Amino acid sequence: MTVHRLYKNKPFEPEAIAAMTSAYADICHELGLSEGNRPEIHAVAKKLIEFAQRGDRDPARLRDHVLQALAG
């Protein structure tokens, strides 16, 4: 899975993209999501981008922030 198409126009450096991609894969795996879960994976991607835009570049922290945000 990839979220590149959702942030291709955002100003993220390669390190940020690598962190986001890693976090995204971990989140989808943990939640049992696949490409067939379009609304859910889109929500994950949007939250991930929000946190990455705040400057966080640690995949584990990004994953945890997104999971907490989605939980409520």
Side-chain angles (χ1 to χ4, degrees):
M1 279 184 261
T2 180
V3 294
H4 290 279
R5 68 185 180 281
L6 295 174
Y7 60 83
K8 64 182 175 188
N9 296 322
K10 305 289 184 197
F12 290 114
E13 66 277 358
E15 296 82 15
I17 293 172
M20 294 167 68
T21 302
S22 176
Y24 179 79
D26 289 348
I27 294 164
C28 288
H29 178 75
E30 186 164 330
L31 296 178
L33 300 177
S34 67
E35 287 293 327
N37 303 105
R38 294 244 182 242
E40 292 88 354
I41 64 171
H42 188 72
V44 167
K46 284 179 69 171
K47 282 295 177 188
L48 184 57
I49 291 167
E50 287 176 26
F51 285 108
Q53 285 177 328
R54 296 178 190 170
D56 201 339
R57 298 296 183 258
D58 179 79
R61 274 197 311 267
L62 285 169
R63 179 199 64 226
D64 293 345
H65 289 311
V66 171
L67 289 172
Q68 288 174 358
L70 293 174

